[in-house]
Amino acid sequence: MRSAGFVVWADKKLHRVFGGRVSLVALAGLPSLRLTTTGRKSGLPRSTNLLYFPHGDDLVLTGSNWGRPHDPAWTLNLRADPKAEVALAGRPVAVVARELTGAEYAEMWRELLEFWPGYAMEREEAARPLPVFVLNRVAR
């Protein structure tokens, strides 16, 4: 988590050079995507590269923010406007986000920890529940 700044910087460079087809997360053998939301204050597109959990046809995102004590900006943007776009291997896909709560959150959290056990450490470091969003693909 201490290397978060470098990882984010390097991932942005890789994305730019390889047109979204390469990321540090993908190089580690994990699924990654580039999420583009609408800034809740600016109204401008905001993009970030994220690890995601493939769950059937859905994509699941966790707002760990590298164990920081506050939710990442992209979660706030999705709460304000759940319509977004993801790039999977450089290909754009329209999605609509839904934040999980209650029993649905608890069940997905168990699955997320099986997928990426590091979320437990990030949750402990952050001292907050980590928001979880399911992204459903939308036909254009």
Side-chain angles (χ1 to χ4, degrees):
M1 289 184 288
R2 291 186 195 123
S3 62
F6 171 76
V7 171
V8 170
W9 175 85
D11 212 35
K12 284 180 184 178
K13 297 289 184 194
L14 285 171
H15 183 271
R16 193 172 305 124
V17 170
F18 293 100
R21 295 180 309 278
V22 176
S23 73
L24 287 179
V25 172
L27 290 174
L30 296 166
S32 69
L33 57 76
R34 183 164 183 84
L35 174 69
T36 301
T37 60
T38 301
R40 70 194 182 288
K41 293 179 182 177
S42 69
L44 299 173
R46 301 294 183 201
S47 297
T48 188
N49 297 340
L50 299 167
L51 166 68
Y52 76 93
F53 173 46
H55 192 261
D57 289 336
D58 298 331
L59 313 166
V60 180
L61 301 178
T62 304
S64 66
N65 205 16
W66 295 89
R68 293 185 183 112
H70 52 82
D71 291 346
W74 64 262
T75 64
L76 305 174
N77 292 342
L78 284 180
R79 288 174 182 143
D81 182 357
K83 294 183 298 270
E85 183 176 273
V86 297
L88 297 166
R91 295 191 185 109
V93 178
V95 295
V96 174
R98 181 174 58 86
E99 188 168 5
L100 301 184
T101 60
E104 195 176 24
Y105 177 95
E107 176 57 33
M108 184 61 74
W109 183 251
R110 283 189 289 278
E111 290 185 50
L112 283 165
L113 290 179
E114 289 176 20
F115 167 72
W116 182 247
Y119 284 138
M121 180 179 62
E122 292 180 73
R123 184 177 181 173
E124 184 177 322
E125 182 73 21
R128 63 179 169 83
L130 303 183
V132 175
F133 289 84
V134 173
L135 306 181
N136 302 111
R137 299 166 201 245
V138 177
R140 288 191 186 222

